[in-house]
Amino acid sequence: QVQLVESGGGLVQPGGSLRLSCAASGISIARYTMSWYRQAPGNQRELVASITSGGSTNYADSVKGRFTISRDGVSNTMYLQLNSLKPEDTALYSCNTLYRGLYRWGQGTQVTVSS
């Protein structure tokens, strides 16, 4: 059974940083494309960043140069480093992968950027 568990969210001031984690079980994350999405109240869910099995990364234009996606095959955990946070980054952040034809999601971790 595939399980994705996010952590690391919280309240941070503008300009601050956070590191989000997505711990996976039942799947080897190094073999699949893994992604981070976010959804703010009243907005559609949007793709923030993804990393392929080959290590290629992709970012939304709004986070390029500020966020960094990475993974650790030993701990089977994906990360999202969030720097220079802005109030508009406030959202529920969730990790995702496509496994055996089904999208698998974690429960999400809330990031709130406010002074």
Side-chain angles (χ1 to χ4, degrees), residues 101-112:
L102 294 176
Y103 285 101
R104 313 301 173 111
W105 295 90
Q107 82 291 345
T109 186
Q110 178 67 36
V111 172
T112 302

Side-chain angles (χ1 to χ4, degrees), residues 16-17 48-49 57-69 80-86 89:
S17 297
V48 176
T57 58
N58 183 59
Y59 296 92
D61 288 342
S62 59
V63 307
K64 280 181 181 176
R66 300 188 299 121
F67 292 7
T68 303
I69 190 171
L80 187 67
Q81 179 67 41
L82 289 63
N83 296 331
S84 303
L85 282 162
K86 305 175 181 179
D89 294 319

Side-chain angles (χ1 to χ4, degrees), residues 29-110:
I29 64 169
R31 297 179 61 188
Y32 297 89
T33 294
M34 302 291 296
S35 302
W36 283 99
Y37 282 78
R38 67 184 181 186
Q39 186 170 22
N43 290 358
Q44 287 189 332
R45 186 164 55 198
E46 64 170 336
L47 176 64
V48 176
S50 61
I51 183 167
T52 69
S53 58
S56 297
T57 58
N58 183 59
Y59 296 92
D61 288 342
S62 59
V63 307
K64 280 181 181 176
R66 300 188 299 121
F67 292 7
T68 303
I69 190 171
S70 62
R71 66 181 179 216
D72 180 349
V74 175
S75 63
N76 212 33
T77 301
M78 177 177 65
Y79 301 98
L80 187 67
Q81 179 67 41
L82 289 63
N83 296 331
S84 303
L85 282 162
K86 305 175 181 179
E88 52 263 42
D89 294 319
T90 295
L92 182 70
Y93 286 71
S94 302
C95 59
N96 156 283
T97 191
L98 178 63
Y99 178 73
R100 293 188 178 179
L102 294 176
Y103 285 101
R104 313 301 173 111
W105 295 90
Q107 82 291 345
T109 186
Q110 178 67 36

